[in-house]
């Protein structure tokens, strides 16, 4: 258990609406990540953060933004959701001093109608 | 779980058998590899990892083998149990903050 909580766990929304997913961690980890998981694809990195206010893009960042105003929270925002963003979203952390393995939250299932 | 895909390669074994799950990776420069287990409706769970300077690493009931010549990774699970039923996938580190994940294999364990 990496002390990661994602919210909401399930959300259904309509095309064009904004959506924010929250990742909360309790262990003060510096690195946090947002991935999406879709059938036929491995987990794909959307954005990651290496500290408060320090973020960078991953391979599938188009249509997403992130914010990290405090260590424990990493927010993923879809400014205007599209059906192609229907997915399961996972937050992850790496532990300092580790080899780099990711520890994941339980996921947030988003459906965009 | 079902979010990973309905058409994953599937390995069906009997309880007590040994299971071998394979993964071909893409980047000969990858220096680190991880195996994850994902149960239905849950997040991926770290199982075992291996650095590229090793060819074998053992954990509790699991062994990972790395063959860099053919860019192949395998996960061996000894005495497979029903609780091992899940989707298993590998990941390779191709660069700083760059983990590339495979699509996974579904393991079904029959009692």
């Amino acid at each position: 258990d990496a002390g990661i909580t994602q919210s909401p766990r399930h959300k259904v929304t309509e095309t064009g609406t904004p959506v924010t997913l929250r990742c909360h961690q309790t262990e003060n980890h510096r690195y946090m990540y947002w991935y999406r998981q879709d059938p036929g694809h491995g987990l794909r990195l959307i954005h990651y953060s290496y500290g408060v206010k320090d973020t960078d893009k991953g391979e599938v960042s188009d249509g997403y933004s992130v914010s990290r105003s405090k260590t424990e929270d990493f927010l993923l925002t879809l400014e205007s959701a599209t059906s192609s963003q229907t997915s399961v979203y996972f937050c992850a952390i790496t532990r300092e001093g580790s080899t780099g393995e990711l520890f994941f939250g339980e996921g947030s299932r988003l459906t965009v109608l | 779980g079902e979010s990973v895909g309905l058409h994953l390669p599937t390995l069906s074994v009997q309880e007590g058998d040994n299971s071998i799950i394979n993964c071909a990776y893409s980047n000969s420069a990858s220096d680190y590899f991880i195996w994850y287990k994902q149960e239905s409706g849950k997040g991926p769970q770290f199982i075992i990892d291996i650095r590229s300077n090793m060819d074998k690493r053992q954990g509790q009931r699991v062994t990972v083998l790395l063959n860099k010549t053919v860019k192949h990774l395998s996960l061996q699970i000894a005495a497979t149990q029903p609780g091992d039923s899940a989707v298993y996938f590998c990941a390779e580190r191709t660069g700083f903050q760059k983990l590339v994940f495979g699509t996974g294999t579904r393991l079904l364990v029959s009692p």
Side-chain angles (χ1 to χ4, degrees):
Chain A
D1 183 2
I4 300 170
T5 304
Q6 292 185 228
S7 60
R9 293 291 313 280
H10 301 272
K11 186 172 181 65
V12 180
T13 192
E14 293 188 348
T15 299
T17 60
V19 175
T20 295
L21 305 179
R22 180 185 183 230
C23 179
H24 179 78
Q25 56 127 336
T26 59
E27 298 180 352
N28 213 34
H29 299 294
R30 179 183 171 197
Y31 282 88
M32 299 182 75
Y33 307 79
W34 276 108
Y35 283 84
R36 61 177 289 174
Q37 187 175 46
D38 304 288
H41 295 274
L43 286 156
R44 292 180 291 174
L45 181 64
I46 305 171
H47 282 277
Y48 69 96
S49 169
Y50 45 97
V52 172
K53 296 192 185 339
D54 291 323
T55 65
D56 206 350
K57 295 179 179 181
E59 63 177 301
V60 291
S61 59
D62 287 349
Y64 301 95
S65 63
V66 289
S67 65
R68 192 158 177 211
S69 59
K70 44 187 179 176
T71 300
E72 58 265 35
D73 288 326
F74 191 32
L75 304 180
L76 176 71
T77 298
L78 292 64
E79 300 291 347
S80 178
T82 67
S83 58
S84 65
Q85 293 176 310
T86 292
S87 187
V88 181
Y89 291 86
F90 288 98
C91 177
I93 60 96
T94 50
R95 293 193 166 116
E96 281 70 40
S98 72
T99 318
E101 65 269 29
L102 292 167
F103 295 89
F104 289 88
E106 293 292 278
S108 295
R109 179 180 292 277
L110 175 67
T111 302
V112 184
L113 301 176
Chain B
E2 66 274 15
S3 63
V4 179
L6 297 176
H7 302 292
L8 291 175
T10 298
L11 174 65
S12 296
V13 301
Q14 295 283 333
E15 182 177 0
D17 287 351
N18 296 331
S19 302
I20 300 176
I21 301 170
N22 297 304
C23 176
Y25 65 91
S26 59
N27 192 327
S28 58
S30 295
D31 65 344
Y32 175 62
F33 305 86
I34 311 171
W35 277 100
Y36 284 92
K37 172 186 180 184
Q38 188 174 22
E39 297 175 335
S40 180
K42 295 190 174 183
Q45 178 184 2
F46 171 87
I47 303 173
I48 192 168
D49 58 0
I50 188 168
R51 296 179 188 261
S52 60
N53 62 353
M54 305 170 68
D55 53 22
K56 180 179 181 179
R57 190 164 188 223
Q58 288 185 287
Q60 187 175 20
R61 279 203 308 120
V62 294
T63 300
V64 55
L65 299 178
L66 175 63
N67 184 330
K68 293 182 287 294
T69 303
V70 294
K71 293 190 288 187
H72 183 267
L73 198 64
S74 69
L75 176 70
Q76 300 179 0
I77 304 173
T80 314
Q81 303 167 0
D84 295 326
S85 293
V87 174
Y88 291 81
F89 53 88
C90 64
E92 60 179 306
R93 184 168 64 192
T94 59
F96 179 70
Q97 300 300 339
K98 291 187 186 300
L99 272 181
V100 176
F101 290 85
T103 53
T105 297
R106 188 182 305 278
L107 177 65
L108 295 176
V109 183
S110 306

